[in-house]
Amino acid sequence: MTKIALAIAGSEASGGAGAQTDIKTFHTLGVFGATSLTCIVSFDPNNDWGHRFVPVDPQVIHDQIEAAVAVHGHIDAVKIGMLGTPTTIGVVAEALEQYHFDKVILDPVLICKGQEPGAALDTDNALREKILPFATAVTPNLFETHILSGMDEITHVDQLIEAAKRIHDQGVPYVLAKAGTLFNTGTALDVFYDGSTTEVLEVPAIGEERVSGAGCTLAAAMTAEMAKGASPLDAARTAKQVVVSAIEHRMHGNAPFDCVFQGYYGR
Ligand code: PXL
């Protein structure tokens, strides 16, 4: 039986990140994708590619989740991406309470370029309080790991492991804390922790350019694999390979960043 994953995420018009990335990743892993859009992001070519951000009406976010659940009857796994505002976080938290999804993978996107840095704090508090308790797994990047763990310095793998443990201690069963290439080890390095197993997932870094959508792809691939019944650790391992392929096959355009493409994985 084909498995179904629901992405509760923002639209990013270029197709390189957000919900578009999520459904492409689900599809490439053989999982049927549904979406509830939380916001519309349009990069601004006339303003340093800043993110023009429009939240979707909270009732409409709820209606989309209701529709996806009603049509399919059962959702195997949910990915939560960019929520963007405390109001959106509130309505998504209510839906998580209402629908009792089995597997919820949270990519805790705090702010995107163009949003007020102050918004990160509001978003952080609301995410921690209202969404984190529903998360089966969380996939913070280094910035988000700093904020969620409360640690000042994370410059080494041992500190990343400690940070993953601190996030786990807040009640999240599975943590994938991502340094990516930011430790300058020539690798993309992430730490998986589930309360007993600590595993450092590391692959050679690819290229020098910034790539948009790698984090979305990782969390979406983990969601698809968990929807199919993989253990969270195996799902994380596969997800890293999907990201490697998506970066290898990235799209070059006019922007100062490339866009991942998942379509070659497994071919
Ligand atoms: O990559 C984070 C992200 C998630 N969701 C949306 C985005 C972005 C980054 O641009 O636009 C909608």
Side-chain angles (χ1 to χ4, degrees):
M1 262 266 284
T2 302
K3 301 297 183 185
I4 300 171
L6 167 66
I8 302 175
S11 165
E12 189 279 281
S14 79
Q20 287 84 345
T21 294
D22 294 337
I23 25 183
K24 282 183 268 188
T25 304
F26 296 160
H27 187 86
T28 211
L29 292 168
V31 170
F32 186 96
T35 56
S36 170
L37 295 181
T38 55
C39 60
I40 313 281
V41 171
S42 321
F43 297 156
D44 187 348
N46 300 312
N47 184 23
D48 191 25
W49 306 96
H51 295 193
R52 291 174 291 196
F53 168 86
V54 180
V56 169
D57 182 282
Q59 182 63 47
V60 178
I61 297 171
H62 176 271
D63 292 350
Q64 294 173 89
I65 298 172
E66 180 183 48
V69 172
V71 166
H72 298 295
H74 178 72
I75 301 288
D76 295 290
V78 172
K79 182 202 147 172
I80 299 179
M82 185 161 159
L83 298 176
T85 74
T87 306
T88 300
I89 289 170
V91 73
V92 171
E94 281 168 25
L96 294 173
E97 172 95 53
Q98 180 178 353
Y99 293 108
H100 300 285
F101 298 113
D102 294 340
K103 298 170 189 170
V104 175
I105 291 77
L106 171 65
D107 190 15
V109 181
L110 287 180
I111 41 168
C112 71
K113 208 173 150 205
Q115 275 188 287
E116 291 284 312
L121 198 60
D122 286 354
T123 309
D124 169 46
N125 289 333
L127 261 184
R128 194 193 295 270
E129 194 184 312
K130 297 190 170 161
I131 306 290
L132 217 54
F134 292 99
T136 316
V138 66
T139 63
N141 65 22
L142 196 54
F143 171 70
E144 294 150 359
T145 298
H146 266 289
I147 294 196
L148 290 175
S149 69
M151 284 173 60
D152 295 333
E153 192 185 83
I154 308 176
T155 53
H156 187 268
V157 64
D158 293 340
Q159 292 163 330
L160 190 61
I161 291 170
E162 174 60 26
K165 289 183 174 167
R166 290 193 192 186
I167 295 170
H168 178 269
D169 288 348
Q170 294 171 41
V172 187
Y174 302 96
V175 179
L176 185 65
K178 305 176 293 182
T181 57
L182 296 177
F183 287 166
N184 293 319
T185 46
T187 61
L189 186 157
D190 308 327
V191 165
F192 177 92
Y193 182 70
D194 66 3
S196 53
T197 304
T198 304
E199 185 157 313
V200 178
L201 302 172
E202 201 170 6
V203 296
I206 305 161
E208 303 288 316
E209 298 294 309
R210 279 183 50 214
V211 186
S212 169
C216 300
T217 302
L218 188 84
M222 216 171 142
T223 305
E225 289 301 301
M226 286 174 65
K228 291 190 284 186
S231 72
L233 178 55
D234 281 343
R237 290 183 181 129
T238 302
K240 291 272 294 185
Q241 297 309 317
V242 175
V243 172
V244 167
S245 169
I247 294 176
E248 280 171 352
H249 296 285
R250 63 193 178 274
M251 311 287 289
H252 305 282
N254 296 320
F257 48 85
D258 292 339
C259 296
V260 289
F261 181 49
Q262 304 79 12
Y264 288 88
Y265 179 79
R267 295 209 186 157

